[in-house]
């Protein structure tokens, strides 16, 4: 389909940071645009869905819903990861929920049983039917790839492997040892009434929204933020900035210091940085001196998403006496920050429905959002160009409103 918002409208959101404005509000509210965007972006990209380290043993699994597809991610007998449909091949019943360990998966509806590899093993009343061949029935496999022990899936059979796209990022983050880090708790999503693009990460808000929560724990003055991180590859959807401290081993805790041992391979320079990397469209990595956090989101509708935040450490840290109490303290220290973010996201989403919703100017420190815009708009253009010719009728006048001198 063609974009219901003329693609040219997005040109004003790309280019010189001193001139660009935000996407039109309809891009955050329109069901028709959401349908276009899900195909143009999410339907043809690699989507992060979780960590392979969360399912280390044969038969370990977790489930996730992405783009209305119910997925079942399973560690196979040979140690590989298989992403497959979580929908029974009989009457489309969901096979599994949550996470756990299994030898096989049985549908509760009619007791059809599948092996870890998705091959049908048993179908009551059909097992001996000469016209029914069980071995020919299998849960469809979803194309997947494991990068640094993150599991990605795609519904596009033709896009290049993910490893090529993220090779420079993997090299840049080598000293954090991300493939070997493990989650403090299993990944868990929670619903948020927000269009997925509102999760776009920037630190313009840090000194304002988080002035009484984050800022007393970690300095976010503009001169301490490097928006030209060498890991930036916007054309590949890799968008980064660094928070740089004057001292080593600082973290946003009530003590201002790391609560856990520093990752052993980090250089002195790396120990002075918090590195924020967005891997578009749905993963944010935060590499810190003692851990790596990741945030993930998946759209569930035009104005709804699910969101998760997970903390990762070396196994030696997880096994350290007192870790659980210290980790809970750090989570509590940042609870207010997270609550402030959710408050802002949901308020912005409501504001997008206003008759007076703006296409506001970007501040210089929001350059990371403009880089994300440019990556997205290229996806929009490509999808729109491939669609059959059809007249597009915008819902409203989408030209940018005049910006006052004080903006």
């Amino acid at each position: 389909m063609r974009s219901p918002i003329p693609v040219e409208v997005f040109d004003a959101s790309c280019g010189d940071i001193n001139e660009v404005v935000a996407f039109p509000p309809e891009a955050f509210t329109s069901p028709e645009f959401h349908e276009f965007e899900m195909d143009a972006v999410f339907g043809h990209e690699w989507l992060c869905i979780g960590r392979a380290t969360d399912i280390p043993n044969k038969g370990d699994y977790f489930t996730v819903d992405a783009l209305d597809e119910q997925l079942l991610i399973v560690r196979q007998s040979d140690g590989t990861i298989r992403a497959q449909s979580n929908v029974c091949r009989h009457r489309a019943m969901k096979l599994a929920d949550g996470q756990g360990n299994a030898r096989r998966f049985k549908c509760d509806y009619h007791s059809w049983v599948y092996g870890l590899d998705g091959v049908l093993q048993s179908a009551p009343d059909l097992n001996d039917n000469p016209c029914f061949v069980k071995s020919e029935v299998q849960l469809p496999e979803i194309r997947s790839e494991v990068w640094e022990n993150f599991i990605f899936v795609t519904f596009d059979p033709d896009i290049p492997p993910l490893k090529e796209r993220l090779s420079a990022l993997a090299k840049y983050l080598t000293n954090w040892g991300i493939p070997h880090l493990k989650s403090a708790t299993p990944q868990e999503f929670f619903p948020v009434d927000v269009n997925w693009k509102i999760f776009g990460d920037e630190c313009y808000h840090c000194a304002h929204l988080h002035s009484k929560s984050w800022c007393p724990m970690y300095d976010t003055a503009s001169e301490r933020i490097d928006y030209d991180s060498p890991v930036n590859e916007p054309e590949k959807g890799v968008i980064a900035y660094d928070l740089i401290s004057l001292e080593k081993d600082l973290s946003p805790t009530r003590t201002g210091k790391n609560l856990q041992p520093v990752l052993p391979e980090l250089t002195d320079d790396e120990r002075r940085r918090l590195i924020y990397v967005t891997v578009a469209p749905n993963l944010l990595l935060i590499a810190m001196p003692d851990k790596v956090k990741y945030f993930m989101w998946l759209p569930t509708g035009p104005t709804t998403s699910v969101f998760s935040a997970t903390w990762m450490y070396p196994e030696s840290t997880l096994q350290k006496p007192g870790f659980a109490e210290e980790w809970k303290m750090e989570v509590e220290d940042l609870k207010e920050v997270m609550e402030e973010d959710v408050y802002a996201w949901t308020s912005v989403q409501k504001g997008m429905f206003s008759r007076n919703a703006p296409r506001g100017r970007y501040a210089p420190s929001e350059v990371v959002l403009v880089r994300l815009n440019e990556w997205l708009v290229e996806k929009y253009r490509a999808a729109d160009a491939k669609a059959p010719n059809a007249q597009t009728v915008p819902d409203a006048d989408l030209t940018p409103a005049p910006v006052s001198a004080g903006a």
Side-chain angles (χ1 to χ4, degrees), residues 2-205:
R2 296 200 66 185
S3 173
I5 302 174
V7 174
E8 309 80 53
V9 168
F10 294 95
D11 291 345
S13 300
C14 304
D16 189 335
I17 186 63
N18 295 307
E19 299 175 357
V20 293
V21 295
F23 276 6
E26 288 78 2
F28 300 88
T29 61
S30 164
E32 294 77 17
F33 184 75
H34 174 75
E35 181 181 357
F36 164 78
E37 186 176 58
M38 288 303 96
D39 179 65
V41 181
F42 281 78
H44 298 280
E45 263 306 333
W46 288 100
L47 312 178
C48 188
I49 57 168
R51 287 282 290 174
T53 48
D54 287 348
I55 48 172
N57 304 310
K58 172 187 172 182
D60 286 350
Y61 70 89
F62 68 84
T63 63
V64 66
D65 294 352
L67 275 65
D68 295 325
E69 287 290 342
Q70 300 176 88
L71 305 181
L72 175 61
I73 317 303
V74 187
R75 178 75 70 173
Q76 300 294 298
S77 299
D78 62 1
T80 60
I81 300 289
R82 177 182 166 91
Q84 55 197 1
S85 173
N86 191 21
V87 174
C88 181
R89 302 301 287 166
H90 182 226
R91 292 289 181 267
M93 178 81 168
K94 192 173 188 177
L95 288 172
D97 279 302
Q99 59 274 324
N101 181 274
R103 291 185 296 170
R104 59 187 182 273
F105 297 97
K106 185 179 77 170
C107 178
D108 289 337
Y109 202 179
H110 297 102
S111 296
W112 282 36
V113 177
Y114 301 84
L116 301 180
D117 59 0
V119 175
L120 182 66
Q121 295 181 341
S122 177
D125 295 340
L126 288 170
N127 287 317
D128 299 320
N129 189 319
C131 299
F132 183 77
V133 182
K134 288 184 294 185
S135 61
E136 294 180 354
V137 179
Q138 184 171 13
L139 301 175
E141 183 171 8
I142 313 301
R143 185 182 173 194
S144 63
E145 189 169 328
V146 178
W147 174 83
E148 302 292 279
N149 262 329
F150 284 102
I151 303 170
F152 288 76
V153 298
T154 182
F155 301 102
D156 186 334
D158 300 319
I159 62 172
L162 179 70
K163 188 175 181 180
E164 298 174 11
R165 175 184 162 198
L166 301 184
S167 59
L169 177 59
K171 183 177 180 180
Y172 186 77
L173 295 176
T174 295
N175 289 349
W176 277 267
I178 292 176
H180 309 293
L181 302 183
K182 296 182 179 180
S183 306
T185 56
Q187 173 181 289
E188 182 179 4
F189 286 98
F190 61 90
V192 191
D193 292 331
V194 165
N195 178 278
W196 73 275
K197 293 186 293 298
I198 290 175
F199 294 123
D201 180 56
E202 44 78 15
C203 206
Y204 180 38
H205 75 284

Side-chain angles (χ1 to χ4, degrees), residues 369-398:
L369 297 184
V370 178
R371 290 168 181 163
L372 178 59
N373 288 352
E374 291 172 345
W375 183 83
L376 279 173
V377 173
E378 283 302 309
K379 302 293 180 185
Y380 299 162
R381 288 191 183 112
D384 194 69
K386 291 178 182 177
N389 289 330
Q391 184 177 4
T392 61
V393 180
D395 295 334
D397 180 7
L398 301 175

Side-chain angles (χ1 to χ4, degrees), residues 284-302:
L284 171 66
L285 297 172
I286 306 178
M288 309 172 92
D290 61 343
K291 61 184 164 291
V292 175
K293 297 172 64 175
Y294 73 92
F295 297 83
M296 238 172 30
W297 49 90
L298 288 165
T300 56

Side-chain angles (χ1 to χ4, degrees), residues 296-342:
M296 238 172 30
W297 49 90
L298 288 165
T300 56
T303 61
T304 58
S305 304
V306 291
F307 179 83
S308 70
T310 310
W311 309 52
M312 302 190 298
Y313 300 88
E315 180 67 31
S316 58
T317 297
L318 294 174
Q319 298 301 324
K320 185 172 70 70
F323 168 79
E325 292 74 18
E326 292 167 341
W327 177 73
K328 288 177 182 178
M329 185 182 87
E330 187 166 4
V331 171
E332 188 64 27
D333 288 349
L334 288 170
K335 180 180 178 181
E336 186 177 356
V337 178
M338 191 76 258
E339 290 173 343
E340 289 166 348
D341 281 331
V342 173

